[in-house]
Amino acid sequence: MSAPRVLLVSHTYAAPVNRAKLDALAQRLTLTAVIPSRWRDALFDLPSDTSESSTYPLHRLPIRFDGHILRYFFPLRQLRRIIQHTQPDLVCVEEEPSSAVLAQLAFLKRRFRYKLVVFTWENIVRRTGLPLLERYNLARCNGAIAGNSEAATVLHHKGFHGPIRVIPQLGLDPLLFQPQPTPELRRSLGLYQFVLGFMGRLAEEKGLSTLIEAVRELPGVQLLLIGGGPLRDEIATVAHSSSIADRIRLLDAVPHEQVAHYLNGLDVLALPSRTTQTWKEQFGHVLIEAMACAVPVIGSSSGAIPEVVGEAGLIFPEGDALTLRAAIARLQADPVLRSELGQAGRARVLAHFTHERIAAANVEFFGQVLGR
């Protein structure tokens, strides 16, 4: 049986670093990808590079409503031309069910008769986009991939009755993310004690106030915060004026190729996310990056964090600074436990969260949808 022809559409791959998953998919099926020629939002400004893939055709198309995940769409004529040329057996749209892009592919499905699969991260039952458009889209999808188990539950709540598979959108390269001592980095940052780190968006929902409160009464613990976001100025003020100012280091976000280097400079990584009315943690990619580096992790109970971490880290009730403090102190005092959790974390990543594992799971699900 010949490999299925799959067209994958998503803004996610405007970032070249994310295309390693596409390379892994292209080894298992006949892949074509469509991405925006540019993507600009609150976090990124990504003009799509002009490098060509040697393993699959990559089409960069102009879009309207740049940076708006639910509203952006491609020129329909160009999209139709690509579909007509590639004749896909299946189209996978890695955008939310209420997105305009999914509506375009749902509309074209009637003419070209491919199977349609949607990807979703949304793990809270709430109104997003246009409900009628979402119902139109889901009624035309033959399958769905949910980035976490709660997203699958939300799809059921919305009345989707097709097959659903829980698969994270992106994995990682375990050769890039692997244990590597970085004593020179610690020295350059003045990190000579037990180093607890956070890497990500500096925003209220990431639970940074809980993290700082937990560290306040833990002598011998230094806190390294790496990232940018709306709370950066406030955290900078805390870092320079609080009673623990001498134990906090605040750095801007680092390029992706340096993330593993900084993670390896930590004794423990924490992700203390807090659920809001409109958001809860959908995955926490930095968790698997740290785990792949054999850095033990502590995560809150928000959203998908417990299912990502499994038994390979410590979980505390979100917003509970006292329990978080106890978890940090436990790891600070027990290097054997840190080593055991670090090794368990890397083993879990190798088993579930590499690009190859995620690509293989996608291909298996595509085969199910296609009846192969």
Side-chain angles (χ1 to χ4, degrees):
M1 183 179 296
S2 61
R5 298 183 301 274
V6 171
L7 177 68
L8 194 149
V9 181
S10 178
H11 78 281
T12 298
Y13 306 101
V17 68
N18 292 334
R19 295 179 203 157
K21 172 190 164 183
L22 302 185
D23 292 328
L25 281 171
Q27 295 175 15
R28 295 167 169 83
L29 46 75
T30 303
L31 179 70
T32 301
V34 174
I35 65 174
S37 58
R38 187 180 190 95
W39 188 259
R40 289 171 289 189
D41 60 20
L43 292 178
F44 303 106
D45 184 353
L46 297 169
S48 186
D49 68 321
T50 57
S51 61
E52 294 298 326
S53 169
S54 61
T55 55
Y56 61 91
L58 179 64
H59 299 273
R60 302 169 180 83
L61 300 185
I63 59 172
R64 297 293 301 273
F65 300 110
D66 187 2
H68 296 274
I69 293 174
L70 298 184
R71 296 171 59 197
Y72 92 89
F73 61 89
F74 296 104
L76 192 61
R77 182 175 297 179
Q78 293 185 48
L79 205 54
R80 184 188 295 114
R81 188 179 301 123
I82 292 170
I83 294 172
Q84 192 164 16
H85 176 72
T86 58
Q87 294 293 306
D89 301 304
L90 182 146
V91 174
C92 179
V93 181
E94 292 187 358
E95 307 292 359
E96 293 296 330
S98 58
S99 66
V101 167
L102 180 59
Q104 289 185 295
L105 276 304
F107 171 75
L108 291 171
K109 178 187 174 186
R110 181 176 181 180
R111 175 178 175 182
F112 293 100
R113 300 184 181 280
Y114 45 72
K115 300 293 185 179
L116 184 60
V117 170
V118 63
F119 177 93
T120 178
W121 279 118
E122 187 56 66
N123 56 349
I124 294 179
V125 177
R126 64 189 182 105
R127 177 177 175 177
T128 59
L130 301 173
L132 289 177
L133 183 65
E134 184 174 77
R135 285 198 289 271
Y136 171 88
N137 288 345
L138 287 176
R140 286 153 182 79
C141 286
N142 304 98
I145 298 175
N148 53 66
S149 60
E150 288 180 318
T153 301
V154 170
L155 282 171
H156 286 303
H157 178 85
K158 291 177 177 178
F160 183 72
H161 300 297
I164 301 172
R165 183 72 60 86
V166 177
I167 309 170
Q169 186 179 22
L170 298 172
L172 54 70
D173 179 353
L175 296 180
L176 175 61
F177 290 91
Q178 63 175 310
Q180 185 67 46
T182 57
E184 73 290 344
L185 173 66
R186 291 173 68 117
R187 284 194 299 268
S188 69
L189 296 176
L191 300 172
Y192 300 107
Q193 302 180 65
F194 181 85
V195 182
L196 175 69
F198 169 90
M199 183 179 290
R201 184 165 167 76
L202 304 181
E204 182 177 355
E205 63 270 18
K206 290 298 184 177
L208 295 169
S209 60
T210 304
L211 183 60
I212 292 172
E213 180 62 27
V215 171
R216 193 180 304 276
E217 303 299 328
L218 283 175
V221 175
Q222 291 181 286
L223 182 59
L224 177 61
L225 305 174
I226 304 174
L231 290 187
R232 195 185 193 288
D233 290 344
E234 180 179 331
I235 291 171
T237 299
V238 171
H240 288 95
S241 62
S242 75
S243 60
I244 59 169
D246 61 331
R247 294 195 281 126
I248 298 179
R249 303 290 185 272
L250 177 60
L251 302 180
D252 290 331
V254 298
H256 185 267
E257 60 271 17
Q258 296 180 25
V259 167
H261 183 64
Y262 280 84
L263 288 173
N264 272 301
L266 306 177
D267 292 302
V268 173
L269 175 109
L271 186 60
S273 304
R274 297 189 66 169
T275 301
T276 71
Q277 288 187 339
T278 59
W279 180 90
K280 56 182 167 180
E281 192 65 65
Q282 296 173 336
F283 188 76
H285 202 268
V286 71
L287 289 169
I288 64 170
E289 292 173 335
M291 291 159 66
C293 294
V295 174
V297 298
I298 302 174
S300 77
S301 57
S302 177
I305 292 176
E307 69 181 272
V308 173
V309 173
E311 300 298 319
L314 303 182
I315 300 296
F316 73 97
E318 58 178 286
D320 187 341
L322 289 177
T323 305
L324 174 56
R325 182 180 302 153
I328 298 168
R330 181 184 176 193
L331 291 178
Q332 182 186 14
D334 194 341
V336 174
L337 178 60
R338 294 203 304 271
S339 178
E340 290 174 349
L341 290 178
Q343 295 305 313
R346 181 162 175 83
R348 182 167 174 78
V349 169
L350 294 177
H352 301 288
F353 299 127
T354 65
H355 294 306
E356 286 69 25
R357 293 287 189 182
I358 288 174
N362 272 263
V363 172
E364 181 184 356
F365 182 64
F366 295 160
Q368 177 186 343
V369 173
L370 290 168
R372 298 192 177 189

